[in-house]
Amino acid sequence: MRIAVLGTGMVGRAIATRAAELGHQVTIGTRDVAATRDRGGDHAAWAAPHPEVGLATYADATADADLVVNATTGDGSLPALTAAGEDNLAGKVLLDIANPLDFSAGFPPTLSVLNTDSLGERIQRAFPRLKVVKALNTLTADLMVHPRQLADGDHTVFVSGDDESAKKTVTELLTSFGHTDVIDLGDISTARGTEMLLPIWLRLYGRLGTGIFNVKIVR
């Protein structure tokens, strides 16, 4: 597949690296290509050994993509997708990994959207022709793409979305990453549940001192 990954942070880099390793044609989308390419820092250090992954504006990255990954920050998601362009996104599958974290009161963050709404739903309403699938937002970046770093990798991830074929596409990608237990929660409103797992995830992170953990639904 041609995959556009929106976001140059840790999650975006992890998804881009793994997808490229699996043979997908990957382009990372960013707000300012020159600034992202030329500045120092984590992305520049990562990009040098990964010449197979392209870098483009949000719009150019998504224009020819089969699958778009939203790996931006929660408050940056709608601006990034707006910059990508509604016509570029129409009819495409969006794997939405972002969480609506609010750091205004410091750490740990709270959620800016919860209970009766979710970031996934807000994206779906804003872009009704986009096929939004919420997934992978409940675990750290390394485990998203290499689940066998944790025991035997048999832990649980979730998908939420209104379009069954889009959820099938995302589930196949997750399976190719190594996930063996993918639970379809239902329509996009069920993203409220997975986004609201973040408060307990953050407390576990603080207690365990590592992000290498996940939940397993035993049934």
Side-chain angles (χ1 to χ4, degrees):
M1 286 191 295
R2 295 185 298 273
I3 298 178
V5 178
L6 308 187
T8 60
M10 179 176 65
V11 172
R13 295 193 301 270
I15 297 291
T17 301
R18 186 70 173 127
E21 288 174 352
L22 293 170
H24 299 289
Q25 181 180 327
V26 183
T27 302
I28 288 182
T30 185
R31 181 176 57 251
D32 187 327
V33 172
T36 300
R37 182 184 60 230
D38 299 337
R39 73 186 178 202
D42 291 343
H43 182 79
W46 170 86
H50 295 94
E52 73 280 7
V53 177
L55 183 67
T57 63
Y58 292 134
D60 288 342
T62 56
D64 296 322
D66 303 307
L67 172 75
V68 180
V69 179
N70 176 30
T72 65
T73 60
D75 59 359
S77 296
L78 288 172
L81 292 165
T82 298
E86 187 171 358
D87 289 341
N88 285 338
L89 296 171
K92 294 178 179 175
V93 177
L94 178 78
L95 166 53
D96 174 33
I97 305 176
N99 285 302
L101 298 179
D102 180 357
F103 289 91
S104 62
F107 193 90
T110 56
L111 296 173
S112 60
V113 187
L114 71 165
N115 291 329
T116 58
D117 202 0
S118 65
L119 179 60
E121 289 171 90
R122 289 189 174 188
I123 292 172
Q124 186 64 84
R125 288 197 301 269
F127 299 93
R129 294 184 290 168
L130 188 60
K131 301 172 184 178
V132 180
V133 179
K134 192 84 185 190
L136 294 183
N137 65 303
T138 56
L139 67 172
T140 197
D142 287 343
L143 289 180
M144 291 178 191
V145 295
H146 293 291
R148 294 193 178 277
Q149 285 191 42
L150 180 62
D152 61 359
D154 185 24
H155 40 94
T156 306
V157 290
F158 310 95
V159 294
S160 300
D162 294 337
D163 188 281
E164 295 300 322
S165 65
K167 287 191 287 188
K168 182 175 184 291
T169 296
V170 169
T171 298
E172 288 172 351
L173 182 66
L174 302 187
T175 300
S176 74
F177 287 171
H179 291 284
T180 58
D181 187 24
V182 182
I183 297 179
D184 182 348
L185 293 177
D187 67 27
I188 193 61
S189 71
T190 63
R192 301 172 191 179
T194 54
E195 290 180 9
M196 287 193 291
L197 281 176
L198 263 293
I200 185 61
W201 189 96
L202 288 162
R203 272 66 182 185
L204 285 167
Y205 176 83
R207 181 64 174 172
L208 300 174
T210 177
I212 305 300
F213 63 88
N214 194 25
V215 299
K216 171 64 181 178
I217 305 304
V218 180
R219 61 211 191 270

